[in-house]
Amino acid sequence: MTKIEILKRLYKDYTKKFLSKILLAVIFSLLVAGSTSATAWLLDPAIEKIFINRDQTLIFIIPFLIIIAFSTKGISLYMAKVLMIEVAEEVKKKLQTNMLNSFINADTQSIEKKHSGNYVSNLNFDVNQITGMLSSSFLALFKDGMTLIGLLIVMFIQNWKLSLIAIIMIPFASFAAKRLGKRAGKVTTEAQEKSGDLNRYLIDLFKNHKIIKIFQRENFEYKRSEEFVNKLKDKTIKIYTIYIRATPIMEILTGIMIAILIFYSGKLIMNNQLSINNFFSFLAAMMLAYQPVKSLATINVGFGQGMAAAKRILPIIDMKKRINKNETCPNLNLNNGSIEFKDVNFSYESNISNDVLRDINIYIEGGKMTALVGLSGSGKSTLLNLIPRIYDPTSGEISIDGQSVNEISLFSLRKEISIVDQNITLFDDTVFNNIKYAKPDATDDQVFKAAEASMCSEFINKLENQFNTNIGENGVKLSGGEKQRLSIARAFLKDSKIILLDEATSSLDSDTEEKIQKALEVLTKNKTTIVIAHRLSTILNSNQIFVMDEGKIIDRGKHDILIQESETYKSFYNRQIKNN
């Protein structure tokens, strides 16, 4: 996107709504400009009438007018800043809300492209750069731009020759501002990357805290953390160095201008071509113009940062979804829940040349249990994720009761599917809310029954606040088995017709597993169940078994047939016997 396109987009989607507040801030900026210019202009009659002519009539009026001018400037500046802060924070809220909505609705593959720490940096660091551009840079453009124009008018009224000399500094300041803004945009992008690296490291640090302790890697992590912080520090220093780089430039230019002006003014006064009162009024206007010129010289830096940030944020907001909700499509008309894969291939976007699933052609009978067996990495979990359209196949078709999953409402499809994953995900919330998450309209009694059916009540009753106990980030206060049972409780509560079990009992002890297996028998009765199995009981009870290897179905059938005809399955089964 070009800078013009970015500005149009920011205006149309984010600032247009607050145009009345922005215009009001502009009006207050005009008052700031007018009162600042009036202060410089009032020095002319003050010096001439009071100090030179000793006019007693103006000795009270002019000081009073100066008080009015400064008061107007102070109040107007305050109001303009308050209005722009409100606008900036509203824009910030909308940007962050849009980004969060984009994250929530994005395809899983899109989210997996970047580490979550980078997205956190986009949400905070980049959004702050944009709001800074709106609250500071835009206000400075209005306020200081109009103040400079007002002061230039005063200067030209007092003496046009001196004014022409004074404005020579403006092109130099503009050139410096352009160079600094370009540099600031580049360094801000680098700083955002380092901020993302630090956020990514911080998330990994919390996630792997126990591993750090077990492997005694504290000293290593101290050094790593210092490295990440130092890199961000260096980039931040560069940003602020660029900001203040305009200061010496402006000081040198101003010093040269004042020296030239004093020399030239002295010549004019000596030749009676300039009066003392005109000179002091002109000098006051020029000195007051120093601040807006300095501000305008650095404004391009703020714009550069904001534009660079917007260039990173807007593509996230515009993140395109491959998996559409199909809201206008018909709902899934579920009969017995049979599932069919026809010529299905799948590869991740990050590695399109390497198929994770290849030529999958299987028919899963409805209302029965089907098992997927194979070594880790053979594609079992990926195959499961294609059914609720967590991913879409690269090619081929998946249908449920003869209806293509791509041609029915996504809501109706996922409504009929429950999944219990080996990678358990829980929220930093109460036990009750974590179970109820599967069915928000469930009654309290239904939640309690789901907990009872999944063998959760046993450990929940021992917790400090029972169902109202907060379990911490991803259930950190619970054991692996307890977390897995909560995950199973969700499936009980949702009570879907299709159940996907991805090693659902992998974190359970033998006693609990036996109880859960009985509960799962109740949960999966007369339901289409696909289970990634490592337990012999599941394998033997399955209506059909598919053997997977390197993304392909290499064998299929019931246990008795496979044990005789499939060497891969026989090897897998024998390992299970040894493990048991």
Side-chain angles (χ1 to χ4, degrees):
M1 295 177 75
T2 65
K3 289 185 177 180
I4 298 297
E5 289 173 334
I6 291 172
L7 286 172
K8 283 182 178 178
R9 174 72 181 279
L10 289 175
Y11 170 73
K12 179 184 175 184
D13 293 351
Y14 298 99
T15 58
K16 186 178 180 181
K17 180 181 176 182
F18 309 105
L19 193 57
S20 59
K21 284 189 176 183
I22 294 172
L23 291 174
L24 189 56
V26 171
I27 292 171
F28 280 118
S29 296
L30 280 170
L31 289 173
V32 172
S35 56
T36 305
S37 303
T39 303
W41 182 81
L42 283 169
L43 285 177
D44 182 355
I47 293 170
E48 182 185 9
K49 301 295 183 183
I50 299 174
F51 297 108
I52 297 176
N53 298 335
R54 299 183 183 184
D55 188 339
Q56 296 293 318
T57 59
L58 297 177
I59 197 166
F60 292 108
I61 296 174
I62 291 178
F64 177 73
L65 291 175
I66 290 174
I67 292 172
I68 294 295
F70 272 96
S71 300
T72 302
K73 178 183 176 181
I75 294 169
S76 299
L77 183 58
Y78 170 78
M79 293 303 298
K81 285 187 174 181
V82 166
L83 285 166
M84 290 308 295
I85 287 170
E86 288 177 359
V87 170
E89 288 304 310
E90 287 289 344
V91 170
K92 179 179 180 179
K93 182 192 79 172
K94 192 171 181 183
L95 278 168
Q96 290 182 326
T97 301
N98 286 351
M99 287 183 72
L100 289 169
N101 285 339
S102 183
F103 294 150
I104 292 166
N105 292 314
D107 297 339
T108 301
Q109 281 206 74
S110 298
I111 292 296
E112 291 172 345
K113 284 180 181 177
K114 284 202 305 186
H115 194 285
S116 54
N118 294 107
Y119 287 123
V120 171
S121 183
N122 291 134
L123 190 68
N124 294 315
F125 183 91
D126 282 339
V127 171
N128 283 331
Q129 297 299 318
I130 293 175
T131 53
M133 178 178 72
L134 291 174
S135 63
S136 300
S137 300
F138 273 114
L139 179 61
L141 180 63
F142 297 136
K143 174 179 67 68
D144 295 316
M146 288 182 284
T147 299
L148 181 60
I149 291 170
L151 291 169
L152 285 173
I153 291 171
V154 173
M155 290 163 64
F156 271 93
I157 289 172
Q158 298 304 336
N159 192 288
W160 65 270
K161 293 179 182 179
L162 292 177
S163 299
L164 288 176
I165 295 172
I167 62 174
I168 292 174
M169 69 155 57
I170 295 176
F172 287 106
S174 300
F175 175 75
K178 186 176 180 180
R179 294 292 300 272
L180 292 175
K182 187 176 180 181
R183 177 64 181 152
K186 182 180 177 182
V187 175
T188 301
T189 299
E190 293 171 356
Q192 190 277 336
E193 290 172 357
K194 300 308 174 188
S195 174
D197 291 342
L198 180 59
N199 285 329
R200 187 175 70 243
Y201 172 73
L202 183 63
I203 291 169
D204 286 344
L205 185 70
F206 290 138
K207 192 184 296 182
N208 302 308
H209 199 261
K210 290 180 182 177
I211 298 296
I212 294 169
K213 298 294 182 186
I214 292 297
F215 290 103
Q216 298 176 297
R217 299 287 282 171
E218 287 92 342
N219 289 335
F220 171 75
E221 295 302 337
Y222 291 151
K223 292 176 183 176
R224 277 220 302 173
S225 62
E226 190 174 13
E227 185 179 334
F228 282 114
V229 172
N230 275 334
K231 285 180 178 179
L232 179 58
K233 177 207 71 176
D234 292 341
K235 295 301 177 184
T236 305
I237 288 174
K238 277 190 178 182
I239 290 173
Y240 286 110
T241 301
I242 290 169
Y243 254 118
I244 63 173
R245 200 172 287 171
T247 301
I249 296 171
M250 291 303 302
E251 294 289 349
I252 293 168
L253 287 173
T254 304
I256 293 171
M257 288 303 105
I258 290 176
I260 294 171
L261 286 169
I262 290 175
F263 174 80
Y264 187 59
S265 299
K267 291 283 186 182
L268 292 176
I269 291 171
M270 291 174 187
N271 293 326
N272 294 319
Q273 293 178 330
L274 179 70
S275 61
I276 294 293
N277 53 294
N278 292 138
F279 171 71
F280 275 104
S281 178
F282 172 86
L283 187 62
M286 196 198 77
M287 295 299 289
L288 287 171
Y290 168 77
Q291 191 279 327
V293 170
K294 179 184 174 183
S295 178
L296 291 170
T298 58
I299 199 172
N300 205 38
V301 179
F303 272 112
Q305 289 178 308
M307 297 296 281
K311 195 174 285 188
R312 290 188 294 270
I313 282 179
L314 293 177
I316 294 174
I317 293 172
D318 296 337
M319 205 183 294
K320 300 229 180 271
K321 295 183 291 181
R322 282 183 55 195
I323 301 175
N324 296 318
K325 292 185 177 181
N326 294 344
E327 293 175 339
T328 58
C329 292
N331 291 333
L332 173 63
N333 183 18
L334 203 63
N335 185 14
N336 64 353
S338 61
I339 303 171
E340 187 173 12
F341 285 67
K342 291 181 181 178
D343 302 320
V344 169
N345 295 280
F346 175 78
S347 60
Y348 289 103
E349 290 178 11
S350 57
N351 192 8
I352 197 74
S353 60
N354 183 26
D355 283 341
V356 178
L357 296 175
R358 294 178 289 163
D359 302 322
I360 304 296
N361 286 280
I362 59 175
Y363 179 81
I364 297 166
E365 192 174 348
K368 306 287 185 180
M369 178 175 285
T370 299
L372 300 176
V373 299
L375 298 175
S376 295
S378 59
K380 303 184 298 298
S381 295
T382 303
L383 190 148
L384 280 192
N385 283 322
L386 294 181
I387 298 171
R389 296 188 67 200
I390 302 300
Y391 308 123
D392 268 349
T394 309
S395 62
E397 183 182 65
I398 302 169
S399 60
I400 299 176
D401 285 338
Q403 303 155 81
S404 172
V405 295
N406 291 85
E407 296 175 3
I408 58 175
S409 158
L410 186 63
F411 177 82
S412 69
L413 169 68
R414 291 179 178 171
K415 183 181 178 183
E416 299 297 344
I417 298 173
S418 288
I419 186 166
V420 180
D421 204 310
Q422 57 181 320
N423 299 315
I424 305 146
T425 302
L426 298 171
F427 295 93
D428 187 2
D429 206 336
T430 63
V431 171
F432 183 89
N433 288 340
N434 267 282
I435 298 174
K436 192 175 181 179
Y437 195 84
K439 190 177 180 181
D441 59 347
T443 64
D444 291 1
D445 190 54
Q446 287 174 320
V447 174
F448 298 146
K449 284 182 178 178
E452 186 70 36
S454 60
M455 317 300 292
C456 287
S457 297
E458 178 185 341
F459 76 83
I460 291 173
N461 290 330
K462 294 178 182 177
L463 297 174
E464 183 180 1
N465 297 311
Q466 298 182 342
F467 277 89
N468 291 321
T469 302
N470 191 294
I471 61 175
E473 183 181 355
N474 203 30
V476 69
K477 297 177 183 178
L478 304 178
S479 68
E482 289 168 345
K483 289 192 284 186
Q484 201 144 32
R485 279 185 270 177
L486 279 185
S487 181
I488 294 168
R490 287 176 180 166
F492 270 100
L493 183 64
K494 191 175 181 184
D495 194 27
S496 303
K497 300 295 169 79
I498 298 172
I499 309 292
L500 309 178
L501 303 175
D502 189 350
E503 299 186 40
T505 60
S506 61
S507 296
L508 303 179
D509 57 73
S510 56
D511 182 51
T512 306
E513 183 181 359
E514 185 179 347
K515 296 175 183 177
I516 286 293
Q517 287 290 358
K518 291 179 181 178
L520 288 176
E521 287 178 16
V522 176
L523 173 66
T524 59
K525 188 176 181 180
N526 298 323
K527 294 178 180 177
T528 304
T529 305
I530 307 173
V531 56
I532 294 176
H534 281 293
R535 306 303 301 175
L536 285 173
S537 56
T538 305
I539 297 170
L540 295 174
N541 292 333
S542 296
N543 181 65
Q544 187 170 209
I545 302 165
F546 292 104
V547 184
M548 298 190 68
D549 186 45
E550 296 184 354
K552 298 185 74 174
I553 303 293
I554 58 171
D555 291 304
R556 67 188 74 197
K558 291 183 180 291
H559 168 74
D560 294 339
I561 297 173
L562 289 172
I563 202 71
Q564 298 294 328
E565 299 179 359
S566 173
E567 287 299 323
T568 303
Y569 179 78
K570 186 176 180 180
S571 174
F572 177 85
Y573 179 73
N574 288 335
R575 281 198 300 272
Q576 296 302 303
I577 293 175
K578 288 180 182 178
N579 291 335
N580 284 272

